[in-house]
Amino acid sequence: MIDLNKIAIIAGEHNVTYSELLQRVAQFARKTPKGKQTKTIVFSENREGWAYAFFSIWLNEGIAVPVDASSTASDVAYILNDCQPDAVWVSRDKEATLKEAIKEANVETKVFLIDDFERLSLQDEPLCSILPWAALAEPDNDDTALIIYTSGTTGSPKGVMLSYSALKANVHSVSYDVPIYTDKRRVLVLLPLHHVLPLMGSLIAPLYMGGGIAISPSLSGPDIMDTLQRGKVGIMIGVPRLWQTLYVGIKKKIDESPAARLLFKLCSVVKSRTLSRLVFSSVRKKMGGHLDYCVSGGAALDKEIGEGLRTLGLDVLEGYGMTETAPIIAFTRPGDIIPGCSGLPLPGVECKLVDGELCVKGPNLMKGYYNRPEETAQVIDNDGWLHTGDLAQFDSVGRITLTGRTKELIILSNGKNVQPSEIEYKLEKYDKLVKEAAVVQDGDKLRAIIVPQPLWASTLTDSEVASRLKREVLEPYNMTVSAYKKIMSVLVYRGELPRTRLDKLQRYKLGAILKEGQGARDKERESKAEPTCEEYRLIKSFIEQEKGIKVHAADHVETDLALDSLDKISLQTFIENTFGTSVGVDEMPGFPNIEALASYVAKQKTRMEAEDVDWHQLLTGSVDSLSLPSSGLAYRIVSRILKGFFCLYNRLKIKGQKNVPAKGACILAPNHQSYADAPLVLAGLPWSELGQYYFYATEEHVKSQYRRKMAAQSNVIVMERANLKNSILKLAKVLREGHRVIIFPEGARTHDGGTVPFKKTFAILAKELNVPIVPVCIRGAFEALPRGSSFMRPEHIEVNFLPAIKPAPEQSYEDLTQRTQNAIEALLAK
């Protein structure tokens, strides 16, 4: 019997007793349609009102249809058309999406706003006459309780019809048969409730058993930790990526301390739950101090993560199942946790293998797909066995270990089978560079779509990112696996890989990403001018003839061209015979691309460099290997603080911003009056565009290590005297990528407020890359902060952005330089 005064729901600082919960459900039920055939959608983010709306449907004996709160209008319209609901409970945040969906689907349905009833007065509101989940206690109740739309990993979602009996089989197994859920354990509501795993595990089961729930406002770390503490949570359900993130974060801190590393090693060897909880008690304490079980579901948890969390004293119960099984097929029991193993089947569920595929039968099976008898027959055979599509193995006592998915399996022409998830996990272990990865079949080779970590990749081109991924991720990985598991190509993807809300990769969408990325990559390569050196031309021609493929300068011998050992020996022989120098087979993968290999061969052959610089060839050549500085948030904030200071203290006036081109590359060329000139120029530029502007500074201005660090974080390219060519190429790279450069052509501050002859670097860049120059005239800064002064005077400062100067083909560097200087001097003279 549930204590009605006990807290059922914790939502932030608001506590809801079981008594209030039952009153709220009764209140919602007066609006919800009644009858066993009525269908009502719940379309909302996780909140207490979600529970009231859901249980009001059951109270009225209707069928609940939870819908993903992140669904688009088209997604919702699909479901509206498919199930034709009698009503929809929707949150205010999702109301506009619902209205658009109703219009698109052209259906009629009642709409009720959760926000209007969630905190409505309960004065004289009676309790529910029966518990809204009472049907779960009834024997053999085959009425449809839910229609859950599958998350669509392989195509259009289907409505899975689940009976009360199927739900009861799940709840009773993890509560009475194995007492994981009790009236003493509160459960964290974290994952979206439209999915059957969190719906059953973090709403229905804990409220049914009287343990209660605590709703996390979001998936952010602080919100999760606060809710764990506030709710004294005993059970937390998450997807593998959540547990991976948690473990990696904790493990990095442990690895920083030799003592902690030693203790971790000790606990991993001893495998004592008591010892681990004692040694790493702070971990559990930070997670509220009451957490008994971490539950992982939605996808397979990597064995290493499970073992690592167990070493930290956290018991991870792995559940395996499907929406079609409401959802559990098997789960690990407390005291019998084997990382990587899905545990024993649900009590009453039979399991068998058919050609390696796991098939199940039992009371937890769905009634079928809504209005899709043919598709139901494709997964449930005449004998009542559900074919899961998962490959599995049984141990001696019947525990289930998953080995892959039949639909995900990649079969190569040599007959080798590859499970992509296995490789993806290994690639994602290089987490300093890799945010997430997907492995796909591309012809007869494996290809990786890699989302790079945004922090390091933000200032790099896709080519630069790909080059480093090949060198620091793919090559080390390829050295550890069999030949057929090697990744021979990489596509850099800047978005997020398509996943379901429970983190399952939607592999059917990867083909489109691969095709789009390949098209963009080919277009980019074709648009780039090829190196003109003879060594490159000959090497390229040889490989194209040998392999019958198109070769580009940015191609890597392995991860792009897929040269095998024999191919590399042939290339080695060709280089020796043609150029009289040698490149070892094991050395070839060390070159980032064919252009680099050709460059090395050219140097070994000639042992000299050209003294004259062909600026056009240089500036339009390859810049893939060059990295650029970054611009952090601090850089922008400081620039705006200084702008406010100049406006108040120096009565800063800015004119002519409209002369700065709205789009594309350009060069800003200001005169140099003071140390304040750089932030003065930035003061006239929009906040959103500050990261597009790069400065060019001499080594003398950034001598100290601190200044170099600041420069690297403030979009400053340092002119290195020892490698002037490299510095100029970085500027060229900025402009070729469509960004902007700010160059002070004088190279040093004025001594008298006037100008000195401009250096022509900016003019060379502008002419050869065909980008406009915007002269910028700074007046008053010399008077406000002259040479030798460390105190800013309250003198009026004015910054003028002058009309852009577009370089003409016949114009010389000197003419362009002088024209820019003349424009600034004309305004200074006024």
Side-chain angles (χ1 to χ4, degrees), residues 440-442 447 449 491 510-519:
V440 295
Q441 186 173 9
D442 186 11
R447 189 169 189 181
I449 301 173
L491 171 68
L510 297 178
I513 292 175
L514 191 65
K515 184 177 180 181
E516 180 182 353
Q518 183 65 57

Side-chain angles (χ1 to χ4, degrees), residues 45-347:
E45 64 283 353
N46 288 359
R47 58 194 293 173
E48 57 191 278
W50 202 105
Y52 306 150
F54 176 83
F55 285 120
S56 75
I57 300 168
W58 277 10
L59 186 64
N60 287 350
E61 298 185 316
I63 301 170
V65 186
V67 172
D68 186 353
S70 68
S71 298
T72 64
S74 295
D75 295 333
V76 179
Y78 173 90
I79 295 174
L80 289 171
N81 268 319
D82 194 63
C83 75
Q84 297 289 315
D86 299 278
V88 179
W89 279 103
V90 64
S91 67
R92 194 180 305 279
D93 286 347
K94 303 300 172 185
E95 186 180 17
T97 303
L98 177 64
K99 288 181 178 179
E100 186 180 344
I102 290 174
K103 183 178 179 180
E104 182 179 332
N106 193 26
V107 299
E108 292 185 5
T109 186
K110 296 177 181 178
V111 176
F112 305 114
L113 203 60
I114 289 175
D115 303 64
D116 290 345
F117 296 88
E118 191 173 45
R119 298 289 176 87
L120 200 62
S121 172
L122 289 174
Q123 188 175 1
D124 300 325
E125 183 68 47
L127 298 177
C128 301
S129 56
I130 59 172
L131 291 175
W133 45 76
L136 292 178
E138 298 174 7
D140 303 322
N141 187 336
D142 198 44
D143 291 339
T144 301
L146 294 170
I147 296 179
I148 298 279
Y149 278 83
T150 57
S151 48
T153 58
T154 57
S156 298
K158 301 179 286 289
V160 177
M161 297 184 291
L162 298 173
S163 67
Y164 286 104
S165 291
L167 303 181
K168 176 185 177 181
N170 276 265
V171 173
H172 280 234
S173 292
V174 295
S175 301
Y176 296 108
D177 296 329
V178 182
I180 297 170
Y181 287 85
T182 71
D183 61 353
K184 300 294 191 297
R185 291 193 182 109
R186 184 171 286 115
V187 180
L188 179 69
V189 178
L190 181 64
L191 302 177
L193 290 170
H194 76 277
H195 195 283
V196 69
L197 169 62
L199 175 59
M200 287 293 291
S202 61
L203 181 73
I204 295 173
L207 289 178
Y208 177 82
M209 292 301 298
I213 62 176
I215 303 174
S216 177
S218 74
L219 290 172
S220 71
D223 278 343
I224 294 173
M225 293 304 176
D226 179 69
T227 308
L228 288 171
Q229 293 278 357
R230 188 190 301 274
K232 299 180 179 179
V233 169
I235 300 174
M236 176 178 171
I237 301 175
V239 294
R241 191 171 291 270
L242 173 68
W243 301 120
Q244 180 178 335
T245 301
L246 174 69
Y247 171 69
V248 169
I250 296 173
K251 187 64 166 60
K252 280 184 178 179
K253 292 183 179 179
I254 289 174
D255 289 341
E256 292 172 358
S257 166
R261 286 201 306 270
L262 182 62
L263 288 171
F264 184 86
K265 180 66 175 177
L266 174 65
C267 290
S268 66
V269 173
V270 174
K271 299 185 185 303
S272 166
R273 182 174 184 264
T274 303
L275 177 63
S276 291
R277 288 203 165 187
L278 177 64
V279 172
F280 296 106
S281 59
S282 60
V283 173
R284 192 162 175 263
K285 187 176 181 180
K286 287 179 180 179
M287 301 182 73
H290 293 79
L291 193 62
D292 291 324
Y293 299 118
C294 303
V295 178
S296 181
L301 179 69
D302 188 85
K303 184 178 179 180
E304 179 184 333
I305 303 300
E307 289 178 341
L309 290 171
R310 183 173 66 174
T311 300
L312 294 172
L314 297 175
D315 290 341
V316 183
L317 304 181
E318 293 187 55
Y320 158 64
M322 306 168 64
T323 304
E324 290 84 346
T325 57
I328 304 175
I329 292 174
F331 65 99
T332 53
R333 274 56 167 177
D336 186 33
I337 299 174
I338 303 174
C341 173
S342 297
L344 292 165
L346 200 74

Side-chain angles (χ1 to χ4, degrees), residues 497-509:
L497 295 179
R499 295 182 181 275
T500 69
R501 292 294 295 279
L502 286 196
D503 210 43
K504 290 182 180 178
L505 199 57
Q506 294 177 305
R507 296 189 183 275
Y508 71 98
K509 294 182 179 180

Side-chain angles (χ1 to χ4, degrees), residues 449-553:
I449 301 173
I450 294 182
V451 178
Q453 290 290 2
L455 188 61
W456 77 269
S458 60
T459 60
L460 305 177
T461 65
D462 284 357
S463 296
E464 289 173 323
V465 171
S467 179
R468 190 168 171 190
L469 288 173
K470 293 170 188 175
R471 186 172 64 254
E472 298 183 31
V473 176
L474 298 192
E475 289 175 26
Y477 161 77
N478 284 343
M479 292 174 65
T480 66
V481 297
S482 303
Y484 73 93
K485 288 186 178 180
K486 288 186 177 182
I487 300 295
M488 304 310 293
S489 181
V490 62
L491 171 68
V492 176
Y493 184 60
R494 300 276 185 168
E496 292 186 355
L497 295 179
R499 295 182 181 275
T500 69
R501 292 294 295 279
L502 286 196
D503 210 43
K504 290 182 180 178
L505 199 57
Q506 294 177 305
R507 296 189 183 275
Y508 71 98
K509 294 182 179 180
L510 297 178
I513 292 175
L514 191 65
K515 184 177 180 181
E516 180 182 353
Q518 183 65 57
R521 185 182 181 210
D522 290 345
K523 187 176 180 181
E524 178 187 3
R525 289 182 168 189
E526 294 295 340
S527 66
K528 285 186 176 181
E530 288 277 277
T532 57
C533 73
E534 187 67 8
E535 293 82 7
Y536 169 75
R537 188 189 67 77
L538 290 171
I539 291 174
K540 172 184 176 179
S541 177
F542 172 79
I543 297 174
E544 286 183 341
Q545 291 176 9
E546 288 288 305
K547 296 286 290 181
I549 57 176
K550 180 71 173 174
V551 175
H552 297 88

Side-chain angles (χ1 to χ4, degrees), residues 662-801:
K663 294 181 180 179
C666 70
I667 297 173
L668 303 189
N671 58 311
H672 206 352
Q673 291 207 329
S674 74
Y675 276 136
D677 291 345
L680 284 171
V681 175
L682 290 179
L685 304 174
W687 165 273
S688 61
E689 296 178 11
L690 291 180
Q692 298 291 314
Y693 288 84
Y694 290 75
F695 288 93
Y696 193 44
T698 61
E699 284 181 315
E700 287 77 7
H701 288 102
V702 288
K703 284 184 178 179
S704 70
Q705 186 176 358
Y706 172 76
R707 286 189 175 184
R708 281 190 170 271
K709 183 178 180 181
M710 290 297 295
Q713 297 175 357
S714 303
N715 267 15
V716 176
I717 295 172
V718 179
M719 184 186 74
E720 300 172 354
R721 301 291 186 192
N723 199 347
L724 178 61
K725 186 189 296 185
N726 221 34
S727 304
I728 293 174
L729 279 175
K730 288 184 179 181
L731 295 175
K733 179 176 182 176
V734 169
L735 296 170
R736 285 165 58 179
E737 291 180 358
H739 304 310
R740 283 100 186 276
V741 169
I742 302 173
I743 300 179
F744 293 93
E746 294 164 276
R749 290 169 294 149
T750 179
H751 286 268
D752 57 7
T755 63
V756 296
F758 284 17
K759 296 182 169 87
K760 63 184 180 182
T761 303
F762 77 101
I764 294 172
L765 288 162
K767 178 174 170 60
E768 298 302 337
L769 298 177
N770 193 29
V771 299
I773 299 168
V774 178
V776 183
C777 181
I778 301 174
R779 296 196 294 180
F782 174 74
E783 290 76 15
L785 189 61
R787 274 179 173 266
S789 175
S790 58
F791 179 78
M792 192 85 170
R793 301 169 185 172
E795 300 290 340
H796 171 60
I797 298 176
E798 186 174 287
V799 178
N800 283 271
F801 293 85

